Amino acid sequence: MDLVPALREPLKKVLGPATAKVMAEHLGLHTVGDLLHHYPRRYEERGQLTHLADLPMDEHVTVVAQVADARLHTFASSKAPRGKGQRLEVTITDGSGRLQLVFFGNGVHKPHKELLPGTRAMFAGKVSVFNRRLQLAHPAYELLRGDPDGGEAVESWAGALIPLYPATAKLESWKLAKAIQTVLPSAQEAVDPLPDSMREGRGLVSLPEALLKIHRPHTKADIEDARARLKWDEAFVLQVALARRRHAETQLPAVPRKPSPDGLLTAFDDRLPFTLTDGQLKVSREIFDDLATDHPMHRLLQGEVGSGKTLVALRAMLAVVDSGGQSVMLAPTEVLAQQHHRSVVEMMGELAEGGMLGGAEHATKVVLLTGSMGAAARRQALLDLATGEAGIVIGTHALIEDKVQFHDLGLVVVDEQHRFGVEQRDALRGKGKQPPHLLVMTATPIPRTVAMTVFGDLETSVLDQLPAGRSPIASHVVPAADKPHFLARAWERVREEVSGGHQAYVVCPRIGDEDDDQKKGTKQSTEGDAEKRPPLAVLDVAEQLAKGPLEGLRVEVLHGRMQPDDKDAVMRRFAAGETDVLVATTVIEVGVNVPNATVMVIMDADRFGVSQLHQLRGRVGRGSAPGLCLLVSEMPEASAARQRLNAVAGTLDGFELSRIDLEQRREGDVLGQAQSGARTSLRVLAVIEDEEIIAEARQEAAAAVAADPELTGLPGLRTALDALLDDEREQYLEKG
C-alpha cells in the first residue's frame, strides 16, 4: 500500500523529530503510510447539541454555551496534603439553563486561561451529579471565535464521530488524531492494491476513500465501508503472500515417491491388528497423492489427540522407504523422540529389523538419533543414515547438524510444536539430492481460519475420527478450596483405578527444585489467594502423595531436568506397568502412549492453557477402559479461570476448545505467539469472526497467483506485498 513517495515520507519530516521519535519507539510508526494504517480502536459520539435545561443523566452530550463565571479553588487531599490541590469550577449558560464544569489538578491550567467569562465554546462530556447539581467533569471543549453563531462549526463538531486511537502515555489519542489530520491528504495518493474488477465485484470502496472514512467518518456507515475494505485488504494481501509461497514450492523439483505394490507398506498393513478408520484412509490417500508428484509435498496433518496421526505418518514413511528413499521424523523433545522410536519399532515388529537375523524380507532399520546419545551409538546411527541401511530415523533437531548425511532423504515429518524454520528447512533440503517432501503434524486442533492464516503455506488434512475401541474420557473440575472432600475423593478414585489393574498420571505445573522456583514462582495472576502461592511442584506433590493419600502405591516422578537415560527408564517402567502413579510435568503432554493409564489428575489446572489441558487429557482413555480426567483448582467459582476449566470439562471436541481458547485470548496473542509479524499485519481482521472473509480471500488469492505468479499486471498488489513482507513479517511467513 506504500507505493508512492508521499506515503514513504518519514514522519520526522512531516511531524517534526520529537513526535516522530515517540511514534517510532512506542507505536512502531515510521512513515506517513504507517500512520495512515494506524486505525482508530473505536469512536466516541459527541452527541447532538443539547439544551442545558433538558440534559439527560449519564449520557455524553455536546452543548454550546457561554462562560458565566470561573473560580479556582485550592484544597487539601491525600495527593496534595498541604492544601495544594486545585479545582477549577466554571459555570456556563445557554440562556435556558446553567451547568457547572469542573477541572482538577494539572488539568486546570489551560481552561483557567481560556474559559474567561463571556467566552463562547462547545463543550462535550458525560453528565453526572455532584452535590445535587448537574456537572460535566473534564469536558472536551472547542472555543468558538469569530462567527457569532458559529452555526456550521457547531453542527459539524457536535455530530462528529471522534476517533480514539491505540495510544500511549507519551502520545494521547487526540495528538495522534491531529497528526493523522496532517497526513490525511496523502491518502489520496495511496495506490490501490486490488484489481478494479475485484473491488467492484465485491462492492468495496477505493483505498484512498477507505482511509479517509476510517479516520474521518461522518456516519457509522462510513466506518462500516472503510472496515469492510481494509479487512479484505489484510486478508487478501496476506493470502497472496501465502499463495505465492505455495506456488514457489510447486516450482521446486522433488523425487516422486510411490510405494511398491507388494513392498514394506503392504507387509506393514497386513500385520496391523485393526482396520484403519475412514479418516485415516482418506488422509493417507491425500498424502500418497502428494508424494507421487514431482514437486515437494507441504502438508499439515492436524488430528485430535489419539486419532492415529503417528500411524498415518508411519505409513507415509514406509511408502517412501519402499520407493528407495529415507524418512525422518523430528520430535520437539528427547522424551518424545524416544517414545516415537519405541512405538514405531513396536508397530513394525520384525519389519524394523532390516539387516538383522530374524528381520522380515522387506524390513528396514529404524534408528534413533538424539543429542545425548553415547559416541559409539551415535557413530553407528550416522553410518546407517549415510549408507541408506536405515530407512527411518527418528530424532530431535540434532538431525539437522552438519555431520548428519543421508543416503537419499525423501520425507521429513515434523511432530508438534514446530513450525519449521526456514533455515532448518534449507538445512534439511541440502541433505537431499532434491528437496524432500514435508509433513507437519499437530495434535493442537487449530480452527480452520487460523490454519489458513498461520499455516497458510501448507495444505491441510484433518483427522477428526477416533479409532474404534477408544473409550470416552469423563472430565470433572475438582474445586479443592471450596470442597476439600472432592480432592480426597479424587485420590480415592486413583486408588480404585490402580486396584483395578490400571495406572494414573498426576500433572503439576512446576518441577520444584530451587532454580525452578525462582523462575516460575513469580508468575502471579490476579485471581486472589490461590494465585499468591507458587504453583504446585512435582517433587513436593509426589512426596506428599507417597506418604499420604497414595501410600503403598508405586509412585515415580518424571520431569524435563532429569538425565535422558533416567527419563527413558521411568517411561519404560510406567509403560511396562511397574509404576502405579507417574507424577510429571507437561513432558507427558504429547505423544506418550500408555493404554493402561486410565486416570489423570491435573493439579493447579488453572495454570495451564485450554489446548494444553486438552492435550494432557488425551494421554488417558487410550485403551479399552474408560478414561477419567480430574482438573484440580483452588480458583473461586466465579473466576474466569474456573469458567475456562468448565469449558474443558464440558467438551471433548478439540476444535470447539480451540475456538473458546481464541475467544478468551486476544487475537494478537494467538497470532503473535504463533509467529512474530502477524501481530503487526492484522489490524482490523479478526481471525475467528472473519472466517468467511479469510476463506474467500484464500480462494481469490490462489486464482490471482495461478493466473499471474509474478503479479506483473498488478503493480499495486506487488507494492502492498512488499510493505507486508518487510523483514519481521518475512520471518513470520518463513518461520511461524
Side-chain angles (χ1 to χ4, degrees):
M1 304 174 210
D2 303 357
L3 182 65
V4 249
L7 295 200
R8 292 233 179 101
E9 184 97 43
L11 288 172
K12 59 173 172 276
K13 282 194 177 168
V14 187
L15 303 173
T19 308
K21 185 168 185 255
V22 175
M23 288 192 175
E25 284 177 5
H26 294 274
L27 296 167
L29 307 174
H30 303 278
T31 64
V32 169
D34 290 342
L35 185 54
L36 286 174
H37 289 295
H38 187 73
Y39 307 134
R41 193 176 54 229
R42 58 191 179 87
Y43 301 85
E44 274 292 0
E45 287 182 78
R46 285 222 170 101
Q48 295 311 302
L49 289 181
T50 316
H51 289 296
L52 295 185
D54 37 336
L55 286 178
M57 271 297 297
D58 275 347
E59 276 188 30
H60 280 276
V61 298
T62 302
V63 297
V64 173
Q66 192 164 354
V67 176
D69 64 34
R71 295 195 199 94
L72 189 62
H73 303 277
T74 54
F75 60 90
S77 72
S78 57
K79 285 186 184 161
R82 295 194 183 145
K84 296 279 173 61
Q86 291 190 306
R87 179 174 77 246
L88 176 67
E89 289 177 359
V90 178
T91 307
I92 57 171
T93 175
D94 65 353
S96 71
R98 293 166 86 80
L99 179 63
Q100 181 140 354
L101 316 178
V102 60
F103 302 87
F104 290 100
N106 296 334
V108 304
H109 306 305
K110 186 168 175 273
H112 191 217
K113 282 206 289 268
E114 294 181 336
L115 297 179
L116 304 171
T119 309
R120 287 188 83 249
M122 286 183 284
F123 302 92
K126 193 172 179 183
V127 183
S128 57
V129 172
F130 181 73
N131 278 348
R132 289 196 284 196
R133 285 166 68 192
L134 293 182
Q135 72 167 26
L136 297 182
H138 282 287
Y141 63 86
E142 188 102 325
L143 301 179
L144 296 172
R145 299 187 171 92
D147 173 10
D149 285 344
E152 213 168 294
V154 170
E155 281 309 318
S156 68
W157 196 79
L161 291 155
I162 314 302
L164 294 181
Y165 290 91
T168 74
K170 295 252 170 28
L171 202 64
E172 297 96 333
S173 173
W174 64 269
K175 284 187 185 158
L176 274 164
K178 231 174 195 158
I180 286 168
Q181 190 68 44
T182 309
V183 301
L184 206 50
S186 308
Q188 294 301 344
E189 299 182 53
V191 169
D192 206 315
L194 299 189
D196 289 346
S197 57
M198 178 186 290
R199 195 168 60 69
E200 286 156 13
R202 301 190 69 82
L204 297 169
V205 299
S206 69
L207 181 58
E209 189 182 335
L211 290 170
L212 287 170
K213 282 183 165 175
I214 197 107
H215 292 298
R216 290 288 166 272
H218 294 299
T219 62
K220 288 183 178 169
D222 284 353
I223 300 171
E224 287 309 304
D225 286 352
R227 285 178 68 84
R229 167 62 212 251
L230 296 168
K231 271 185 180 189
W232 177 259
D233 276 17
E234 277 182 15
F236 181 65
V237 174
L238 179 60
Q239 291 300 335
V240 167
L242 294 165
R244 288 188 75 197
R245 278 188 61 85
R246 290 197 301 273
H247 182 267
E249 302 287 7
T250 63
Q251 303 309 299
L252 291 169
V255 178
R257 307 284 180 175
K258 294 179 181 159
S260 47
D262 50 0
L264 188 54
L265 178 62
T266 311
F268 174 76
D269 284 349
D270 289 345
R271 52 170 286 139
L272 277 178
F274 49 81
T275 50
L276 297 173
T277 65
D278 293 347
Q280 286 171 326
L281 289 168
K282 174 176 159 285
V283 170
S284 289
R285 266 197 304 278
E286 291 170 350
I287 292 171
F288 290 152
D289 289 349
D290 282 0
L291 288 173
T293 60
D294 53 10
H295 54 82
M297 164 171 81
H298 278 91
R299 192 165 278 281
L300 170 69
L301 170 57
Q302 49 172 29
E304 276 289 14
V305 178
S307 57
K309 287 180 304 301
T310 314
L311 178 61
V312 168
L314 177 55
R315 293 183 75 237
M317 289 159 79
L318 294 173
V320 170
V321 175
D322 262 352
S323 72
Q326 290 169 295
S327 296
V328 163
M329 182 184 269
L330 278 180
T333 62
E334 294 207 347
V335 166
L336 194 49
Q338 289 161 342
Q339 170 80 30
H340 276 319
H341 180 254
R342 258 203 310 277
S343 58
V344 164
V345 169
E346 275 166 23
M347 279 197 263
M348 288 176 65
E350 74 252 22
L351 297 175
E353 294 168 3
M356 294 186 237
L357 277 173
E361 178 195 348
H362 298 292
T364 186
K365 207 167 184 181
V366 180
V367 169
L368 177 69
L369 186 60
T370 61
S372 65
M373 282 170 77
R378 188 178 174 78
R379 243 192 333 269
Q380 183 60 51
L382 291 172
L383 186 66
D384 288 341
L385 291 188
T387 58
E389 186 80 19
I392 293 178
V393 56
I394 296 171
T396 54
H397 274 67
L399 279 170
I400 301 169
E401 286 173 17
D402 295 344
K403 295 196 270 302
V404 181
Q405 292 301 323
F406 292 88
H407 178 63
D408 178 14
L409 180 58
L411 170 67
V412 177
V413 179
V414 182
D415 185 31
E416 206 52 59
Q417 292 167 340
H418 290 94
R419 186 92 195 284
F420 228 16
V422 73
E423 303 92 353
Q424 291 139 316
R425 245 184 239 193
D426 286 347
L428 266 169
R429 273 196 186 138
K431 294 184 182 301
K433 296 185 181 70
Q434 288 189 330
H437 299 278
L438 176 70
L439 181 65
V440 179
M441 298 198 295
T442 175
T444 308
I446 305 164
R448 178 165 155 261
T449 43
V450 179
M452 284 189 287
T453 315
V454 180
F455 294 98
D457 55 339
L458 300 170
E459 300 298 333
T460 306
S461 296
V462 178
L463 269 179
D464 46 13
Q465 221 184 343
L466 288 184
R470 265 305 172 80
S471 356
I473 305 168
S475 306
H476 304 285
V477 178
V478 177
D482 313 349
K483 299 178 177 164
H485 60 285
F486 276 38
L487 183 58
R489 174 74 189 116
W491 301 127
E492 281 173 23
R493 283 291 291 116
V494 170
R495 293 193 84 99
E496 287 163 13
E497 289 296 314
V498 171
S499 64
H502 297 299
Q503 290 160 280
Y505 296 100
V506 177
V507 180
C508 305
R510 206 164 51 96
I511 298 173
D513 47 28
E514 268 46 59
D515 301 349
D516 193 59
D517 290 0
Q518 253 84 61
K519 278 188 224 140
K520 303 264 181 74
T522 51
K523 182 176 174 284
Q524 301 291 331
S525 120
T526 51
E527 300 246 37
D529 295 341
E531 291 288 336
K532 293 203 177 108
R533 60 168 173 71
L536 293 171
V538 166
L539 301 177
D540 305 341
V541 168
E543 190 181 352
Q544 289 159 13
L545 290 176
K547 290 179 180 166
L550 302 186
E551 195 178 352
L553 301 187
R554 297 168 297 177
V555 177
E556 287 210 56
V557 299
L558 178 70
H559 58 74
R561 224 174 281 133
M562 291 164 62
Q563 289 301 314
D565 291 351
D566 297 344
K567 280 192 250 189
D568 199 38
V570 168
M571 273 317 300
R572 279 178 190 282
R573 285 197 292 275
F574 190 64
E578 293 162 21
T579 304
D580 299 321
V581 180
L582 186 62
V583 184
T585 56
T586 53
V587 290
I588 62 153
E589 178 181 347
V590 185
V592 172
N593 185 20
V594 179
N596 192 44
T598 52
V599 61
M600 174 175 286
V601 182
I602 303 177
M603 308 303 291
D604 278 344
D606 46 272
R607 309 274 180 140
F608 300 98
V610 168
S611 46
Q612 204 175 19
L613 291 169
H614 183 60
Q615 288 290 329
L616 285 166
R617 165 171 66 186
R619 301 299 113 216
V620 294
R622 299 177 79 85
S624 50
L628 173 66
C629 177
L630 301 173
L631 306 166
V632 179
S633 170
E634 293 185 4
M635 284 295 158
E637 182 78 56
S639 63
R642 273 287 286 281
Q643 286 163 3
R644 213 169 54 236
L645 296 181
N646 291 339
V648 175
T651 177
L652 290 173
D653 180 343
F655 288 93
E656 177 57 30
L657 286 173
S658 66
R659 283 190 85 95
I660 292 169
D661 200 15
L662 262 185
E663 281 157 8
Q664 289 189 340
R665 290 166 21 198
R666 288 194 322 283
E667 199 76 35
D669 293 349
V670 176
L671 295 172
Q673 282 165 7
Q675 76 286 326
S676 64
R679 185 175 43 75
T680 41
S681 60
L682 295 191
R683 295 185 177 92
V684 282
L685 194 68
V687 174
I688 285 286
E689 291 160 32
D690 298 323
E691 185 162 345
E692 280 174 34
I693 295 174
I694 293 170
E696 286 171 28
R698 183 175 164 104
Q699 276 182 325
E700 295 261 14
V705 170
D708 180 3
E710 292 305 307
L711 307 179
T712 35
L714 298 167
L717 182 54
R718 277 210 70 119
T719 312
L721 271 180
D722 294 341
L724 174 77
L725 301 182
D726 57 24
D727 294 345
E728 183 192 14
R729 292 169 217 168
E730 183 71 57
Q731 285 176 343
Y732 136 56
L733 288 174
E734 297 284 14
K735 286 195 180 133

